[in-house]
Amino acid sequence: MTVVKINAITVPPDSGDELARRFAARAGAVDNQDGFEGFELLQPTDGRSTWLVVTRWRDEESFEAWRTSPAFGQGHGHGGGHPHGGGHPHGEGHPHGEGHPHAEGHDGAASGGQPRPVAVSSELWSYRISGGSPC
């Protein structure tokens, strides 16, 4: 049964474009993962500062396999899959641990050469599809 993972990412008003740019630079990076069904980055249009990263997975096991894989770790700012590691491109405290596109500071990087996070905070929401219209 399809599961939906929504990462609600709060960014400062001037950082949304950078977040979108970093996601665009990683377009397709997860497309070939077993169980991956789709992805959208949703930009707020009503003055909110929370962007939504919506992914769909065949099942919870597929999502967890991706989240703990070396491919996830390499694509998210560290060398391997870390279930609760740092370096998420959105910011600190990312609930499923790792990073996507990081924001850059005036020198483009935080200590250690890693780009600075774009987000102020993020949280992971988990859903299953219980109804809707056919595609």
Side-chain angles (χ1 to χ4, degrees):
M1 171 184 296
T2 295
V3 295
V4 177
K5 299 295 182 174
I6 302 171
N7 187 13
I9 306 167
T10 303
V11 299
D14 60 345
S15 295
D17 288 344
E18 177 64 16
L19 182 71
R21 184 189 70 74
R22 292 180 184 196
F23 269 97
R26 293 182 31 79
V30 73
D31 290 357
N32 294 322
Q33 279 298 137
D34 184 47
F36 178 74
E37 296 179 351
F39 160 86
E40 289 94 24
L41 175 63
L42 304 180
Q43 177 180 2
T45 59
D46 60 1
R48 295 173 197 252
S49 60
T50 302
W51 291 57
L52 301 178
V53 180
V54 180
T55 58
R56 291 175 311 286
W57 297 87
R58 176 181 57 229
D59 50 34
E60 187 71 28
E61 292 77 19
S62 297
F63 172 74
E64 286 299 319
W66 168 72
R67 190 181 65 78
T68 59
S69 72
F72 179 89
Q74 292 166 356
H76 290 82
H78 43 76
H82 299 283
H84 300 290
H88 195 281
H90 314 310
E92 301 303 319
H94 188 270
H96 67 265
E98 284 45 50
H100 289 279
H102 296 269
E104 299 169 4
H106 56 275
D107 64 352
S111 62
Q114 291 285 67
R116 295 175 191 249
V118 173
V120 174
S121 66
S122 67
E123 54 183 300
L124 182 65
W125 302 339
S126 187
Y127 293 84
R128 71 172 175 252
I129 299 173
S130 294
S133 60
C135 295

